[in-house]
Amino acid sequence: MKWIHIAAILAVPCNGFSLFQDLLLGLGDTYGREPKSLHQEVQRIADNSVITILSDIDSRYSLRVKEIAPEKLGIDTVKQWSGYLDYEDSKHWFYWFFESRNDPEHDPLILWLNGGPGCSSFTGLLFELGPSSIGSDIKPINNPYSWNNNASVLFLEQPLGVGFSYGDEKITTTKAAGKDVYIFLELFFSKFPHLRSHDFHISGESYAGHYIPQIAHEIVVENPGRTFDLTSVLIGNGITDSLVQDDYYEPMACGQGGYPAVLTEEQCGQMSKDADRCRTLNRVCYTTESNIACIAATAFCDSVTLGVYEKTGRNFYDIRGPCEDKGEMCYYGLRYVDDYMNLPEVQKALGSDVHNYTGCSNQVGLGFMLTGDGAKPFQQFVAELLDMKIPVLLYAGDKDFICNWLGNHAWSDKLDWTYGDEYQQLPLKAWKSNVTGEEFGQVKNYGPLTFLRVYDAGHMVPYDQPEAALEMVNTWISGVHDFGYTHE
Ligand SMILES: *[C@@H]1O[C@H](CO)[C@@H](O)[C@H](O)[C@H]1NC(C)=O
Ligand SMILES: *[C@@H]1O[C@H](CO)[C@@H](O)[C@H](O)[C@H]1NC(C)=O
Ligand SMILES: *[C@@H]1O[C@H](CO)[C@@H](O)[C@H](O)[C@H]1NC(C)=O
């Protein structure tokens, strides 16, 4: 047990801070403990407002769709639906879909995914970019910078075990999760067939830097018979290429990421030394893709980077401040989201079968950890998209530590694709608002690949810089991929 226990203690999936924290606090044997996300109280309540759609691809899958009366919850006034994708009686994924506030008959569709692995996409919905956030009185506050201002937005709770999603089977790899998301999307489009002709973008953050490339591969390569197309992908503060990204914890913590050093010189020196061994372990993981090798890489690399940073008491997701609430990914305000999602009237209005909502599931995080999924490479699927001329936006809040902008910038530079050399040689230049002229950050673009550094934002860019994030997404989905970047 010791090996796994040590691996579990040290392996911090991007975003999966609560897991790390619980284990670090020595709450004992993970397997012996009552898992937080065990849904003992699942009961499917008959509800005649729910429509069920069967899959043409695989008859074992069906989609439940319930139209929500907007005034019941007050999250937005637009039309919205929620429900489950069901796989027989064993797997059930929950979603919540909002129409665009502008022109739902023509505006694009955006799928949003949070990371973890194991964190609910309702963190994005109610804390970052959705139509409302939740105040300390556990009531919705309208978000004027919601991403559904000019697009319809679909929030999916995946993989199984996240948020209101539940089931008997365990999903423990990005690959398996990607297959399920593809089937979900086909079913979703059969309920909303007019959306098939709209632009369709997949966006997300953190561990979605794993999910999104895999899902995109599943759509554009594995399923030539698909009924919809993928227009682009957007990844915010992602973890995609850990071999490269692990080299940038030291510079980020030691004053080279645009923020003063938060570690001592001695700690920084040690981190640089440990980076060599980390790189060696990551290389073995990349070449073998064996679970054991990848668990070993994560365990070692995380202990010598995140483990050291943790001692500073700072927020993993925002180097500027302290970790306010260790149980809630450092943000006290995330408690309001949990409290809201646990209100019986909210669950009734949404039609959830599950009555205990947790923002991040430790069980899901642990399952992924034990397959070494975190250290495995996913950047090759990004190269595949670029070679097919499908646009990719990598954006990064520059005050995040855990999936920092330096590491994201570096892996985009090293990426092996048709115009990789041309892209790599380009400098970052100012990214200015097209509305106010304010400098929001820095940008670099070549053909279908764009990297954006967003100033003064942590891991959750739309939370810290809602205006910049909305202009970013609206510019991108309008088809402007260079953000004004010129090649002179
Ligand atoms: C975005 O939505 C606003 C109204 O909500 C509208 O005035 C504007 O024209 C829309 N922009 C685009 C590009 O559709
Ligand atoms: C689920 O919530 C109910 C009340 O809402 C509570 O009594 C029960 O203990 C919770 N179960 C778990 C596993 O957290
Ligand atoms: C800025 O706005 C103009 C006019 O709407 C548009 O043509 C241009 O593409 C925009 N540029 C960027 C970088 O968004």
Side-chain angles (χ1 to χ4, degrees), residues 431-432 434-435 471 475 478 480 482-485:
W431 164 41
K432 290 189 177 144
N434 208 8
V435 181
E471 190 174 320
T475 302
S478 78
V480 174
D482 61 11
F483 293 89
Y485 191 86

Side-chain angles (χ1 to χ4, degrees), residues 235 237-238 392-398 403-413 423 427-429 431 441-446 448-454 472 476 481-483 485:
I235 302 172
N237 292 82
V392 174
L393 171 61
L394 305 173
Y395 66 91
D398 73 351
C403 300
N404 61 63
W405 77 277
L406 293 175
N408 271 293
H409 182 229
W411 80 254
S412 79
D413 269 355
Y423 173 88
L428 286 166
K429 292 182 183 175
W431 164 41
Q442 291 179 312
V443 58
K444 131 164 173 169
N445 161 265
Y446 193 93
L449 180 57
T450 304
F451 174 83
L452 275 188
R453 168 190 183 184
V454 186
M472 170 188 83
W476 182 258
H481 297 140
D482 61 11
F483 293 89
Y485 191 86

Side-chain angles (χ1 to χ4, degrees), residues 229-281:
D229 259 314
L230 178 64
T231 310
S232 88
V233 301
L234 302 80
I235 302 172
N237 292 82
I239 174 72
T240 302
D241 184 348
S242 53
L243 171 62
V244 175
Q245 290 178 255
D246 278 347
D247 272 343
Y248 290 85
Y249 286 111
E250 187 272 330
M252 190 66 207
C254 301
Q256 291 171 59
Y259 192 79
V262 298
L263 298 179
T264 64
E265 262 178 51
E266 197 189 350
Q267 286 170 317
C268 292
Q270 188 60 42
M271 238 193 217
S272 298
K273 277 187 211 144
D274 290 334
D276 293 335
R277 176 151 172 70
C278 168
R279 212 175 299 120
T280 305
L281 290 168

Side-chain angles (χ1 to χ4, degrees), residues 360-374:
C360 291
S361 160
N362 290 355
Q363 273 186 317
V364 172
L366 187 63
F368 274 70
M369 191 183 293
L370 297 179
T371 62
D373 195 78

Side-chain angles (χ1 to χ4, degrees), residues 38-338:
L38 196 65
H39 301 306
Q40 299 101 325
E41 295 175 72
V42 174
Q43 48 177 152
R44 283 174 70 166
I45 300 159
D47 182 341
N48 54 18
S49 66
V50 177
I51 304 167
T52 301
I53 295 169
L54 299 177
S55 172
D56 302 335
I57 306 168
D58 183 333
S59 60
R60 289 167 298 182
Y61 287 85
S62 61
L63 187 74
R64 281 183 268 163
V65 185
K66 177 185 167 79
E67 183 158 1
I68 302 167
E71 64 281 3
K72 264 203 184 146
L73 295 176
I75 295 291
D76 203 341
T77 54
V78 300
K79 283 181 114 175
Q80 49 196 282
W81 293 263
S82 64
Y84 279 98
L85 169 69
D86 299 301
Y87 175 81
E88 295 179 331
D89 272 333
S90 63
K91 306 199 262 186
H92 314 272
W93 293 264
F94 196 77
Y95 68 92
W96 192 349
F97 172 52
F98 294 84
E99 275 197 340
S100 170
R101 286 172 172 173
N102 173 49
D103 180 7
E105 292 310 308
H106 300 97
D107 285 345
L109 171 66
I110 301 177
L111 171 69
W112 172 264
L113 302 170
N114 278 90
C119 298
S120 164
S121 296
F122 296 166
T123 304
L125 201 173
L126 298 170
F127 198 69
E128 301 182 62
L129 56 108
S132 281
S133 59
I134 303 299
S136 57
D137 58 355
I138 320 302
K139 292 198 164 61
I141 303 167
N142 177 61
N143 175 15
Y145 304 107
S146 177
W147 285 17
N148 78 328
N149 276 20
N150 290 88
S152 296
V153 186
L154 171 58
F155 298 88
L156 172 65
E157 295 202 288
Q158 65 84 46
L160 218 61
V162 168
F164 287 150
S165 299
Y166 66 98
D168 309 327
E169 287 182 42
K170 297 282 166 277
I171 299 292
T172 56
T173 64
T174 295
K175 188 172 181 187
K179 292 198 180 300
D180 289 330
V181 173
Y182 171 69
I183 292 173
F184 170 81
L185 289 169
E186 282 290 2
L187 279 169
F188 178 82
F189 283 110
S190 46
K191 159 66 185 154
F192 301 95
H194 67 285
L195 290 173
R196 285 195 179 114
S197 59
H198 293 204
D199 283 353
F200 172 54
H201 308 271
I202 303 181
S203 65
E205 78 193 12
S206 198
Y207 209 82
H210 270 44
Y211 299 142
I212 293 172
Q214 178 76 52
I215 295 165
H217 171 79
E218 194 62 34
I219 295 171
V220 303
V221 176
E222 299 293 334
N223 285 284
R226 65 190 174 272
T227 67
F228 64 96
D229 259 314
L230 178 64
T231 310
S232 88
V233 301
L234 302 80
I235 302 172
N237 292 82
I239 174 72
T240 302
D241 184 348
S242 53
L243 171 62
V244 175
Q245 290 178 255
D246 278 347
D247 272 343
Y248 290 85
Y249 286 111
E250 187 272 330
M252 190 66 207
C254 301
Q256 291 171 59
Y259 192 79
V262 298
L263 298 179
T264 64
E265 262 178 51
E266 197 189 350
Q267 286 170 317
C268 292
Q270 188 60 42
M271 238 193 217
S272 298
K273 277 187 211 144
D274 290 334
D276 293 335
R277 176 151 172 70
C278 168
R279 212 175 299 120
T280 305
L281 290 168
N282 271 327
R283 282 214 183 90
V284 177
C285 166
Y286 270 34
T287 45
T288 62
E289 292 210 32
S290 105
N291 291 1
I292 290 293
C294 297
I295 293 168
T298 304
F300 179 79
C301 299
D302 287 356
S303 72
V304 299
T305 55
L306 305 175
V308 176
Y309 180 87
E310 205 270 341
K311 296 196 187 101
T312 66
R314 281 174 192 271
N315 185 333
F316 278 97
Y317 310 100
D318 193 328
I319 197 169
R320 294 169 294 184
C323 183
E324 287 169 8
D325 188 333
K326 293 187 173 170
E328 293 282 353
M329 280 181 52
C330 292
Y331 293 90
Y332 191 79
L334 278 171
R335 287 205 179 264
Y336 309 148
V337 175
D338 288 358

